[in-house]
Amino acid sequence: MSDAVFRGSDRYIATPDLLLSVNAALRLQKPLLIKGEPGTGKTLLAEEVARALDRPLFQWHVKSTTRAQQGLCEYDAVSRLRDGQLGEARVADIGHYIVQGVLWQAFECEQPAVLLIDEIDKADIEFPNDLLRELDRMSFSVYETRQIITARHRPLVIITSNNEKELPDAFLRRCFFHYIRFPDTDTLRRIVAVHHPDAQQRLVDAALRQFDTLRQIGGLKKKPGTSELIDWLTLLMAESIAPEQLDAAAGEMPPYVGALLKNEQDTGLLQRLLQMQQQRR
């Protein structure tokens, strides 16, 4: 069992239940599956855990075309064919053409590492099942060379999901699960203070009021998250928007709304709601 303890960091506001989950995964030596709205800091968590524990970080950002084998290793047949045509002596050793994947790199790290498998739900439904054995046993075989690669130290595996598709039950049983709830107002203030320590408190309060009003609108395709709030405040501060201007603009389209709403359906919905409010007055 691991003796490492994550207590948060100066750059990442972690709630007590999130700290508990990270440390439970460390203690149990199980993958930590993190779900939550986009923009709630799932990916950043792995970076900050690695920094706080002084561990190397290996990142595997999953796409729709990603295959589980790519995280282990791949055989570069094209390079071997080209070297063979050029008469290279190294072509006789197939090991020269085995490309190490992120899991292999993490397994061979000389110290305990943090391994991030980011947005696992983007891949094919079989992707998580294809990693069950490797994540359980912390080892895998390289078919081409008959090697067995075994982890020198069991890494802390942090897996993120945006809930785009359900994950297999067999995979879920092997994980410690945590859902990052959207931060309450007090936690948002603490997050803002990390990114904008010099922000005027009255501006932050006015921005949070408008931000909360936006998030309460029913029917939004994508609610603004913490990352959007930070970007929006960056713009407000850069343009010296006064708190009074924000308060006066309540009931109107917020300045720099493109930092908060990311598609035409949501901006159109907001425009219609504002027009309806004006007509009632």
Side-chain angles (χ1 to χ4, degrees):
M1 290 187 179
S2 172
D3 294 326
V5 177
F6 177 58
R7 296 185 173 87
S9 77
D10 56 346
R11 303 190 308 190
Y12 189 92
I13 303 301
T15 56
D17 56 341
L18 179 56
L19 292 176
L20 185 149
S21 296
V22 173
N23 290 316
L26 280 165
R27 178 65 60 179
L28 295 173
Q29 297 189 333
K30 283 178 173 280
L32 174 61
L33 174 61
I34 298 288
K35 291 186 179 183
E37 284 184 36
T40 49
K42 299 187 295 297
T43 301
L44 185 59
L45 172 66
E47 298 173 9
E48 290 305 309
V49 169
R51 190 174 75 93
L53 299 182
D54 194 24
R55 293 188 175 194
L57 173 65
F58 296 88
Q59 303 186 56
W60 187 10
H61 299 286
V62 177
K63 302 177 182 179
S64 59
T65 55
T66 301
R67 296 177 293 105
Q69 184 62 39
Q70 293 171 318
L72 308 178
C73 62
E74 291 189 283
Y75 170 46
D76 189 354
V78 174
S79 293
R80 194 181 191 197
L81 176 61
R82 182 183 62 244
D83 288 351
Q85 292 171 337
L86 296 174
E88 297 280 354
R90 69 196 303 268
V91 77
D93 183 358
I94 195 173
H96 290 141
Y97 304 94
I98 303 299
V99 180
Q100 293 184 3
V102 178
L103 265 71
W104 188 336
Q105 296 169 35
F107 284 5
E108 291 210 327
C109 188
E110 294 184 357
Q111 64 186 99
V114 175
L115 170 61
L116 169 66
I117 304 177
D118 197 29
E119 298 189 330
I120 193 171
D121 53 324
K122 280 188 175 180
D124 183 87
I125 189 63
E126 290 304 319
F127 179 89
N129 283 332
D130 292 342
L131 289 176
L132 286 179
R133 180 183 176 90
E134 288 74 17
L135 293 180
D136 259 353
R137 301 192 177 187
M138 286 289 149
S139 69
F140 65 92
S141 61
V142 182
Y143 174 79
E144 291 81 4
T145 61
R146 303 297 189 268
Q147 290 175 274
I148 302 295
I149 307 299
T150 301
R152 296 183 182 183
H153 307 278
R154 180 179 283 267
L156 170 62
V157 182
I158 297 179
I159 303 167
T160 73
S161 169
N162 287 326
N163 252 350
E164 290 185 11
K165 62 172 69 79
E166 288 296 323
L167 300 174
D169 288 344
F171 182 81
L172 295 174
R173 284 197 297 271
R174 288 164 169 80
C175 299
F176 190 93
F177 171 75
H178 180 78
Y179 183 86
I180 297 182
R181 293 170 294 181
F182 193 80
D184 58 24
T185 302
D186 288 340
T187 305
L188 282 175
R189 283 197 179 90
R190 293 168 60 202
I191 293 171
V192 167
V194 168
H195 294 274
H196 295 299
D198 300 325
Q200 183 183 358
Q201 192 56 53
R202 287 177 57 231
L203 176 64
V204 172
D205 291 342
L208 285 175
R209 284 194 292 271
Q210 285 213 19
F211 178 76
D212 182 63
T213 299
L214 272 182
R215 282 189 54 86
Q216 298 305 318
I217 295 175
L220 286 181
K221 187 174 181 181
K222 183 189 182 303
K223 293 183 178 182
T226 51
S227 59
E228 283 81 18
L229 173 62
I230 298 304
D231 288 346
W232 189 45
L233 274 167
T234 300
L235 292 171
L236 297 178
M237 294 171 64
E239 295 300 319
S240 300
I241 302 294
E244 295 79 10
Q245 289 176 267
L246 271 189
D247 286 331
E252 301 176 5
M253 190 67 76
Y256 304 107
V257 70
L260 296 169
L261 301 180
K262 302 296 186 174
N263 59 71
E264 64 277 14
Q265 294 97 321
D266 288 348
T267 54
L269 173 61
L270 178 58
Q271 285 174 338
R272 291 193 298 274
L273 290 173
L274 292 174
Q275 288 170 358
M276 289 170 61
Q277 288 178 3
Q278 291 171 358
Q279 290 169 0
R280 294 194 190 105
R281 292 173 183 172

